[in-house]
Amino acid sequence: MGEMSDEAMPADELRQVKQLLWHVISREINPVEEDEVRRALGASAIEENEQLMLEAAALAEIIGDVRHRTDASALSRRLYENPGRTLVEGELRLLVNSIKRFASGDFA
C-alpha cells in the first residue's frame, strides 16, 4: 500500500474484533457436536455475523485505500507549497525571460 505517516495506523488495526467467536468455539469443540452447538447459538446469527465480518474487512480495506490516497495527496501538496520551490520557480522565470530577451537581440 505504501508508506503511512508516523501517526497513521493501518485501518485493519483499528478493528476491535479480529476473529469470530464461532471460529474459536468450533476449533474447541468435538466436530460431532458442531451442528448441535451451531443450532443452540443460532445458525442465522452465526451466518449474519460472518457476513458482517466480511463487510468490516471490506470497509477496512476501503479506509486503507482512502488513507493512502489522502496521505499521497498531502505529500504532493507539501511539495508544491514548499517555499524553496517558489524561490526556484522565480529564478527560473527570470532565466527564461533573460534567454528570450537575448534571443530577440534585446540586450538592455
Side-chain angles (χ1 to χ4, degrees), residues 20-31 34 37-38:
L20 294 173
L21 182 57
W22 171 248
H23 293 161
V24 175
I25 291 171
S26 64
R27 284 192 303 262
E28 299 297 321
I29 61 175
N30 188 328
E34 189 172 314
V37 173
R38 187 177 188 83

Side-chain angles (χ1 to χ4, degrees), residues 6-26:
D6 294 336
E7 297 174 14
M9 178 182 289
D12 196 45
E13 293 298 315
L14 297 173
R15 292 176 59 192
Q16 297 283 325
V17 179
K18 302 292 184 184
Q19 64 178 341
L20 294 173
L21 182 57
W22 171 248
H23 293 161
V24 175
I25 291 171
S26 64

Side-chain angles (χ1 to χ4, degrees), residues 23-86:
H23 293 161
V24 175
I25 291 171
S26 64
R27 284 192 303 262
E28 299 297 321
I29 61 175
N30 188 328
V32 176
E33 299 171 330
E34 189 172 314
D35 287 338
E36 184 178 338
V37 173
R38 187 177 188 83
R39 272 192 302 276
L41 293 175
S44 63
I46 292 170
E47 290 167 7
E48 184 178 344
N49 211 10
E50 288 172 338
Q51 287 300 314
L52 290 172
M53 184 66 105
L54 291 173
E55 286 181 33
L59 289 172
E61 186 174 337
I62 291 169
I63 289 169
D65 289 346
V66 168
R67 182 180 288 158
H68 175 70
R69 281 182 285 185
T70 302
D71 289 348
S73 176
L75 176 62
S76 66
R77 275 194 309 274
R78 274 186 273 148
L79 291 174
Y80 290 124
E81 295 170 357
N82 184 341
R85 177 186 171 102
T86 305

Side-chain angles (χ1 to χ4, degrees), residues 80 82-102:
Y80 290 124
N82 184 341
R85 177 186 171 102
T86 305
L87 181 62
V88 170
E89 286 176 345
E91 290 176 358
L92 287 172
R93 281 190 200 96
L94 288 173
L95 177 63
V96 168
N97 288 336
S98 295
I99 292 171
K100 285 179 181 177
R101 277 197 323 267
F102 183 76

